[in-house]
């Protein structure tokens, strides 16, 4: 191992993030990720967003559904405000740099690091002998997604924090092992009132596209009636809303609804509590349902319009992939050079 090179190198700000097209997009994906992706784009930062289909197949995906869900997720991004000209929007499998770098990172990451990933443990459960090898290696591919672009910032929900920490460890070990300052130590960007949107049926569980109960989540494809009904039926306790945030400490279901309201309205949870102090859920839930419908319905409508023209979605993804490849290819070629691979074909 050579000595680490200490020359400081600054990396230009570049945002990368991804979403698995392994089911429909949920309100959790929207508030924890997508809405914030749009904000970053609108701040004029360079933004690269990826539908991570290679991650999706670490658990079984029906091919026709995967294709449909990938297009639907792309439509969701555009409907929510991602402009495929100002941002790069593409699906992972069209840019081979991701899997090439992932293999290299499989040799950098340690078994012990991977074994500590809580999301793997949760997903594998008691079945760990029978899940795919890809599910175990999943976070190394995620590190490759980010570092193939030398991305400096990754907006994500709370549940991805440990994966970003692993990405930082992989970058640091690569830099150190090869005596280079090649990869940035990427920062997670976990901010806002809805970094962890919880299930509408159980405020101690994350809202997830894989929850067997459809009542537990809002899907971006739900129509206005369904959205309103799900919020009206959301689990709560029988107390009125408190007059200070502290009063929500041991009330996960109530806290979740207040956080969702705050994120949808671009308010702080404190401001929501100030407005609804003492209100019963009979008042708060319809207000939340109205707000959610007002914010989400235009997205749902635009999404279904876009889905009328799948060829156009495929064209946008192909164009995004070409732009992504133009950034990632030279970076991964330099990695091959750093690690001592002969590249004499070009
Ligand atoms: P995924 O597809 O599970 O979720 C996509 C994004 O949505 C956020 N999210 C939530 N945020 C708040 N509350 C929730 N209930 C909720 N559910 C999901 C996630 O935190 C995430 O930001 N491993 C990633 C995908 C990925 C990725 C990447 C992300 C692959 N490569 C590179 C960033 C950078 C995942 O499974 O996300």
């Amino acid at each position: 191992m050579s000595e680490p090179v200490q020359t400081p190198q600054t990396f230009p700000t570049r945002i990368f993030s991804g979403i698995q097209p392994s089911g429909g997009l949920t309100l959790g994906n929207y508030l924890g990720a997508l809405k914030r992706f749009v904000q970053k784009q609108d701040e004029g930062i360079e933004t690269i967003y990826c539908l991570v289909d290679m991650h999706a197949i670490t658990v079984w995906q029906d091919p026709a559904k995967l294709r449909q869900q990938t297009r639907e997720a792309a439509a969701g991004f555009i409907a929510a405000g991602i402009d495929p000209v100002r941002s790069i929007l593409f699906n992972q499998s069209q840019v081979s740099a991701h899997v090439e770098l992932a293999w290299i990172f499989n040799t950098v990451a340690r078994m012990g690091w991977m074994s500590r990933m809580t999301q793997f443990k949760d997903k594998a459960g008691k079945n760990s002998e029978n899940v795919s090898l890809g599910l175990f290696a999943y976070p190394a591919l995620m590190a490759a997604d980010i570092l193939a672009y030398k991305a400096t910032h990754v907006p994500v929900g709370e549940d991805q924090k440990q994966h970003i920490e692993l990405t930082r460890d992989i970058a640091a070990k690569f830099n150190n092992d090869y005596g280079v300052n090649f990869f940035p130590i990427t920062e997670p960007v976990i901010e806002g009132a809805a970094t962890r949107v919880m299930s509408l049926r159980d405020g101690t569980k994350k809202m997830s596209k894989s929850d067997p109960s459809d009542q537990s989540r809002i899907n971006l494809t739900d129509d206005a009636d369904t959205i309103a009904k799900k919020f009206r039926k959301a689990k709560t306790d029988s107390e009125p809303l408190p007059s200070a945030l502290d009063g929500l400490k041991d009330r996960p279901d109530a806290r979740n609804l207040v956080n969702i309201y705050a994120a949808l309205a671009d308010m702080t949870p404190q401001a929501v509590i100030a407005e609804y102090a003492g209100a019963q859920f009979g008042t708060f839930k319809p207000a939340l349902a109205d707000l959610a419908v007002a914010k989400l319905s235009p997205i749902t409508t635009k999404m279904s319009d876009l889905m009328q023209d799948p060829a156009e979605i495929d064209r946008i993804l192909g164009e995004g992939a070409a732009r992504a490849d133009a950034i990632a290819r030279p970076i991964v070629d330099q990695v091959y050079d750093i690690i001592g691979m002969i590249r004499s074909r070009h």
Side-chain angles (χ1 to χ4, degrees), residues 16-22 26-34 36-37 52 55 92 119 123 138 141-143 145-146 154-160 163-164 194-198 206-209:
F16 180 96
S17 201
I19 291 189
Q20 293 196 69
S22 52
T26 68
L27 182 66
N29 295 134
Y30 176 67
L31 293 177
L34 198 42
R36 298 169 45 229
F37 296 174
V52 291
H55 277 109
Q92 191 183 27
Q119 203 155 60
K123 280 193 186 172
Y138 178 116
L141 175 58
M142 183 160 159
D145 296 338
I146 296 165
V154 180
V156 279
E158 183 68 41
D159 61 343
Q160 297 301 314
H163 288 159
I164 310 292
T195 56
R196 191 170 176 82
V197 177
M198 307 309 271
K206 193 181 71 166
M207 181 182 285
S208 158
K209 47 196 157 205

Side-chain angles (χ1 to χ4, degrees), residues 2-60:
S2 46
E3 279 296 295
V5 174
Q6 297 298 344
T7 46
Q9 183 182 333
T10 53
F11 295 88
T13 302
R14 178 179 280 157
I15 285 194
F16 180 96
S17 201
I19 291 189
Q20 293 196 69
S22 52
L25 296 174
T26 68
L27 182 66
N29 295 134
Y30 176 67
L31 293 177
L34 198 42
K35 186 168 190 252
R36 298 169 45 229
F37 296 174
V38 176
Q39 284 163 354
K40 298 294 169 197
Q41 165 195 276
D42 293 346
E43 285 167 23
I45 305 170
E46 184 181 9
T47 41
I48 305 175
Y49 296 127
C50 185
L51 308 169
V52 291
D53 46 11
M54 293 296 221
H55 277 109
I57 60 162
T58 57
V59 298
W60 169 252

Side-chain angles (χ1 to χ4, degrees), residues 260-276:
I260 292 174
Y261 190 107
L264 282 169
D266 292 312
M267 289 164 75
T268 61
Q270 285 89 337
V272 176
I273 284 295
E275 197 173 321
Y276 286 97

